[in-house]
Amino acid sequence: MKIGLFGFGKAGKAVASVILQSKDHSLQWIYRKTNRLTTRDAADFLGIESDDPGYFYSDKKMSVEALLKEHPVDAIIDFSSKEGIYMYGESAAENEIKIISAISHYSDKEVGFLHKLAQKATVFWSPNITLGINYLLYAAQFLKKIAPSVDIEIIEEHFKDKQGISGTAIRIADVLDVKDEKINTIRAGGIVGKHEVIFGFPFQTVRLIHESISRDAFGNGALFAAEHLINKKPGFYKFEDLLHPYFKV
Amino acid sequence: MKIGLFGFGKAGKAVASVILQSKDHSLQWIYRKTNRLTTRDAADFLGIESDDPGYFYSDKKMSVEALLKEHPVDAIIDFSSKEGIYMYGESAAENEIKIISAISHYSDKEVGFLHKLAQKATVFWSPNITLGINYLLYAAQFLKKIAPSVDIEIIEEHFKDKQGISGTAIRIADVLDVKDEKINTIRAGGIVGKHEVIFGFPFQTVRLIHESISRDAFGNGALFAAEHLINKKPGFYKFEDLLHPYFKV
Amino acid sequence: MKIGLFGFGKAGKAVASVILQSKDHSLQWIYRKTNRLTTRDAADFLGIESDDPGYFYSDKKMSVEALLKEHPVDAIIDFSSKEGIYMYGESAAENEIKIISAISHYSDKEVGFLHKLAQKATVFWSPNITLGINYLLYAAQFLKKIAPSVDIEIIEEHFKDKQGISGTAIRIADVLDVKDEKINTIRAGGIVGKHEVIFGFPFQTVRLIHESISRDAFGNGALFAAEHLINKKPGFYKFEDLLHPYFKV
Amino acid sequence: MKIGLFGFGKAGKAVASVILQSKDHSLQWIYRKTNRLTTRDAADFLGIESDDPGYFYSDKKMSVEALLKEHPVDAIIDFSSKEGIYMYGESAAENEIKIISAISHYSDKEVGFLHKLAQKATVFWSPNITLGINYLLYAAQFLKKIAPSVDIEIIEEHFKDKQGISGTAIRIADVLDVKDEKINTIRAGGIVGKHEVIFGFPFQTVRLIHESISRDAFGNGALFAAEHLINKKPGFYKFEDLLHPYFKV
């Protein structure tokens, strides 16, 4: 697939790196609000060998509308900010480009806009776009269904300076319908990110654990989404919609 | 449900203990090949307060045929030995009693006999009848389906004197189609039983862990099976057949 | 060593069981405030084969003074209650019997009394008398000394109905001088007891974990103490005093 | 302290990065066998803001003898290769510069040379120069001393492509005097590095776990060594020699 990327912060860089190294997909361009980089393309900037064009664009250089026409892509992956969707949403929908958004914190307004776009475009949104976390959310809900009265506790561990409770932990608590008091927050040193769900039965314990090694996991998750959206009709999709078919016997 | 139990070894005792303490089910009797116990019933023997009859029977006291007629049950739970099924199989099938076998090591002959019985009776067999392990088997297979090329390793930990590789670990390796070399066997002190499946992705790791606290977990698993078989037609059932409906959206 | 035991509650029973099975030590008797047991001795009650006398005594049968003279012991192990020490303290000190107390919650009054007894007797007190926890306390303090600015968090996991924060976790926080907010309390199912200390460095993490399998661990800890007190002069000893000599190079 | 660094491979870069960011130490220079980098200094190359000089030198630019005179340092940290010690050993010893070597695989010849240098210089060698692993080695030996008959197993987890058993795991097995069969080797995905020592007691389990987050841990370990060697007389030192004084009561 030909992919265009919005956003080139820490996560965006990691995602670009993964796409550049993928044999099945090519990074056509990266769009940034402002671009002061002097390097020509992402492969050069990141020190990766790749034949993908991966050029940087910004609104000073070219409008999004023009970009989508001159350098067409199959899918846009969005790691920019919650405002990003307004830059490319309409044009992408018109050009039948799939939209894959990994923005963590949308307000209701943006979510509404996504749903509106989904009437004519294939729109996917995941606030934590890793395969592992979405699997964990799915598998945990399944165990809760089987054993509704099991005791559930959540442990999330992150680096010392991470503020607040992890959004992913709140999401886990949410889908399992357990109170936020059951989230235990560990902040220590440089822990990249660990989420553990403990299911306590009277005579046995089940633990589901996800450990992040690097942000590059976002890249693999985004590509997993892209690949699973190829033949999907217009509509609004979440990560669990992509996982569900794997359960057909 | 009214339940009859075959076998009163370590696991059988633990299962009896759980049924005696259950409000929804009653332990009608326990059948043992030979019975030298002087205590009158299982509640007395185990020091549990219960109104369940739970009397001990053996072939010296009464034939299985007579027992099933005089003290009818809804289900037989079998924790005896691989020969046990021949003692009660035919009679149970004739009397429309559900058969729940937790025997770990059947030969092909017994499995064949179970399938024959399943033509007229509701027959269930699980070599490790805990909810946790069966959930883990199910959830692990699902992740393997989503990510076929993920690296998988298995760690099993048990008490010092446990001989050989754990049958459950071999089962896990089997359903995930990984080689037995990927099973890492830990033997140390008094560890009751721990199974861990590690899924290694390039930038993240997922771990599914099951820890046994006591054999009583077999009792809860057997009751889970019994409850889910109540309205099941004759046929042969495995634990995953009971878990599958929970995935219907 | 010849050992006398005060207390025969859950922990006391477990300790008696371990001593009865030890080849190096013998359980002379168990003293209980009231004794309604009809079984003759502890081995019989617990179903353990042993040549130890292990008879039950209570104040209705014999005074502690008389017991210590007629059935002398080398050490008293106390798993009774905080009042227990007043029953045997003076007599034990006079008869040069070592005192090993595993009472978790003494008030200042009892601790004062222990120190008074320690002027003429060898007195040992450990509120959590397992080898593993005391090792963990020791090893954790050592790491804190080496790396005073490391981030520390504590996780303690116990069965659902355990009330309050674990005393052991509070003790760990205390010796490491970290705030109680750093204790994360998990209550789920039938978890016997797990304590984890996380040391978070910028680029690495160290975890010290203690998992309880059964109360019998108290028995091994008490015997470890007994063996290490054999040649100790009168004085007041804590578990770390016994561990310290192992560090001499 | 003023520090000179030999070696600028993956580990060397990480160490340079840590020293450049340290307020208490300054990176004077990096010596490489050949230097084709066009960037002027390490701070520039690594994108770190720092006032440290951190210039690159090679034998084409200046001999080690001249470098040590013109740009004197308090300590040399060596992450180059086993031959590195021959480049700077004699000169460093003559100039009373402390030698800190983190080379993993020396032959006997190099170890012999280090000991010879130690007659006049302060020489330190650690094949795994992280604080966490050395703490774990120390703490594990201590537990083994207390409980000589405890069952010990080791688990080491690393990324898929790591060849052979981890040298650190072999070292752990060595100091604990357990057979190599007790090392369980996990290779999966992108796991940076995890070492777990399991101590199995009959009724409790103790686990010591070290998890690597990044190679930068080597930098902190090297600086820990440097700081603890400041007032050390000439002689040969290992990491445990630096940890030992922390145990003085």
Side-chain angles (χ1 to χ4, degrees), chain A residues 157-163 186-193 215, chain C residues 151 202:
Chain A
E157 304 182 4
H158 286 89
F159 48 94
K160 189 182 184 178
D161 293 332
K162 185 174 170 69
Q163 300 297 312
I186 308 287
R187 292 289 173 267
I191 296 172
V192 179
R215 288 169 206 275
Chain C
D151 301 324

Short mmCIF file of all heavy atoms in Angstrom, two decimals, chain A residues 157-163 186-193 215, chain C residues 151 202:
data_model
loop_
_atom_site.label_atom_id
_atom_site.label_comp_id
_atom_site.label_asym_id
_atom_site.label_seq_id
_atom_site.Cartn_x
_atom_site.Cartn_y
_atom_site.Cartn_z
N GLU A 157 2.56 0.27 34.80
CA GLU A 157 3.88 0.77 35.20
C GLU A 157 4.44 1.62 34.07
O GLU A 157 4.45 1.20 32.92
CB GLU A 157 4.84 -0.40 35.46
CG GLU A 157 4.34 -1.40 36.49
CD GLU A 157 5.36 -2.52 36.74
OE1 GLU A 157 6.47 -2.46 36.17
OE2 GLU A 157 5.04 -3.44 37.49
N HIS A 158 4.93 2.81 34.43
CA HIS A 158 5.55 3.69 33.44
C HIS A 158 6.71 4.45 34.07
O HIS A 158 6.90 4.41 35.28
CB HIS A 158 4.52 4.67 32.86
CG HIS A 158 3.57 4.04 31.91
ND1 HIS A 158 2.39 3.47 32.32
CD2 HIS A 158 3.62 3.85 30.56
CE1 HIS A 158 1.74 2.97 31.27
NE2 HIS A 158 2.46 3.19 30.18
N PHE A 159 7.43 5.16 33.23
CA PHE A 159 8.59 5.95 33.67
C PHE A 159 8.15 7.01 34.68
O PHE A 159 7.03 7.50 34.65
CB PHE A 159 9.27 6.59 32.48
CG PHE A 159 8.30 7.27 31.55
CD1 PHE A 159 8.02 8.61 31.66
CD2 PHE A 159 7.64 6.53 30.56
CE1 PHE A 159 7.11 9.23 30.82
CE2 PHE A 159 6.72 7.15 29.71
CZ PHE A 159 6.46 8.50 29.85
N LYS A 160 9.12 7.37 35.49
CA LYS A 160 8.88 8.25 36.63
C LYS A 160 8.04 9.49 36.32
O LYS A 160 7.17 9.87 37.10
CB LYS A 160 10.25 8.72 37.13
CG LYS A 160 10.21 9.46 38.44
CD LYS A 160 11.62 9.90 38.81
CE LYS A 160 11.61 10.57 40.17
NZ LYS A 160 12.98 10.95 40.56
N ASP A 161 8.31 10.14 35.20
CA ASP A 161 7.70 11.45 34.98
C ASP A 161 6.36 11.40 34.27
O ASP A 161 5.78 12.45 33.98
CB ASP A 161 8.67 12.34 34.17
CG ASP A 161 9.91 12.68 34.99
OD1 ASP A 161 9.80 12.72 36.23
OD2 ASP A 161 10.98 12.89 34.39
N LYS A 162 5.86 10.23 33.97
CA LYS A 162 4.56 10.17 33.29
C LYS A 162 3.48 10.69 34.24
O LYS A 162 3.34 10.23 35.36
CB LYS A 162 4.24 8.74 32.87
CG LYS A 162 2.94 8.65 32.05
CD LYS A 162 2.70 7.25 31.51
CE LYS A 162 1.32 7.11 30.92
NZ LYS A 162 1.14 7.88 29.68
N GLN A 163 2.73 11.66 33.76
CA GLN A 163 1.71 12.28 34.57
C GLN A 163 0.40 11.51 34.48
O GLN A 163 0.05 10.99 33.42
CB GLN A 163 1.47 13.72 34.10
CG GLN A 163 2.70 14.61 34.20
CD GLN A 163 3.20 14.80 35.61
OE1 GLN A 163 2.42 15.10 36.50
NE2 GLN A 163 4.48 14.56 35.84
N ILE A 186 2.15 2.52 38.99
CA ILE A 186 3.56 2.45 39.37
C ILE A 186 4.35 3.45 38.52
O ILE A 186 4.20 3.44 37.30
CB ILE A 186 4.12 1.04 39.10
CG1 ILE A 186 3.26 -0.06 39.73
CG2 ILE A 186 5.58 0.93 39.52
CD1 ILE A 186 3.36 -0.18 41.20
N ARG A 187 5.14 4.28 39.16
CA ARG A 187 6.01 5.20 38.42
C ARG A 187 7.42 5.02 38.92
O ARG A 187 7.72 5.34 40.07
CB ARG A 187 5.56 6.66 38.66
CG ARG A 187 4.20 7.02 38.06
CD ARG A 187 4.25 7.08 36.55
NE ARG A 187 2.92 7.25 35.96
CZ ARG A 187 2.17 6.21 35.56
NH1 ARG A 187 2.59 4.97 35.70
NH2 ARG A 187 1.00 6.43 35.02
N ALA A 188 8.28 4.49 38.05
CA ALA A 188 9.63 4.18 38.52
C ALA A 188 10.63 4.17 37.38
O ALA A 188 10.43 3.47 36.38
CB ALA A 188 9.64 2.83 39.24
N GLY A 189 11.67 4.97 37.53
CA GLY A 189 12.79 4.96 36.59
C GLY A 189 12.34 5.14 35.16
O GLY A 189 11.56 6.04 34.84
N GLY A 190 12.85 4.29 34.29
CA GLY A 190 12.62 4.45 32.86
C GLY A 190 11.71 3.40 32.25
O GLY A 190 11.80 3.16 31.04
N ILE A 191 10.84 2.79 33.06
CA ILE A 191 9.96 1.75 32.52
C ILE A 191 9.19 2.28 31.32
O ILE A 191 8.50 3.29 31.41
CB ILE A 191 8.98 1.24 33.61
CG1 ILE A 191 9.75 0.58 34.75
CG2 ILE A 191 7.97 0.27 33.01
CD1 ILE A 191 8.88 0.22 35.97
N VAL A 192 9.30 1.63 30.18
CA VAL A 192 8.69 2.11 28.94
C VAL A 192 7.17 2.06 29.05
O VAL A 192 6.47 3.03 28.75
CB VAL A 192 9.16 1.29 27.72
CG1 VAL A 192 8.50 1.80 26.45
CG2 VAL A 192 10.68 1.36 27.59
N GLY A 193 6.64 0.95 29.50
CA GLY A 193 5.19 0.82 29.65
C GLY A 193 4.81 -0.63 29.84
O GLY A 193 5.18 -1.49 29.04
N ARG A 215 8.24 2.70 20.87
CA ARG A 215 7.10 3.29 20.17
C ARG A 215 6.89 2.69 18.79
O ARG A 215 5.84 2.89 18.17
CB ARG A 215 7.33 4.79 19.99
CG ARG A 215 7.21 5.58 21.25
CD ARG A 215 7.73 7.00 21.01
NE ARG A 215 8.22 7.59 22.24
CZ ARG A 215 7.43 8.20 23.11
NH1 ARG A 215 6.15 8.32 22.88
NH2 ARG A 215 7.93 8.71 24.23
N ASP C 151 13.98 4.98 42.33
CA ASP C 151 12.53 5.01 42.59
C ASP C 151 12.09 3.64 43.09
O ASP C 151 12.41 2.63 42.49
CB ASP C 151 11.75 5.33 41.32
CG ASP C 151 12.14 6.66 40.72
OD1 ASP C 151 12.43 7.59 41.49
OD2 ASP C 151 12.17 6.76 39.48
N PRO C 202 16.95 4.58 35.62
CA PRO C 202 16.63 5.15 34.31
C PRO C 202 16.64 4.12 33.18
O PRO C 202 15.79 4.16 32.30
CB PRO C 202 17.73 6.20 34.10
CG PRO C 202 18.16 6.58 35.48
CD PRO C 202 18.02 5.34 36.30
#
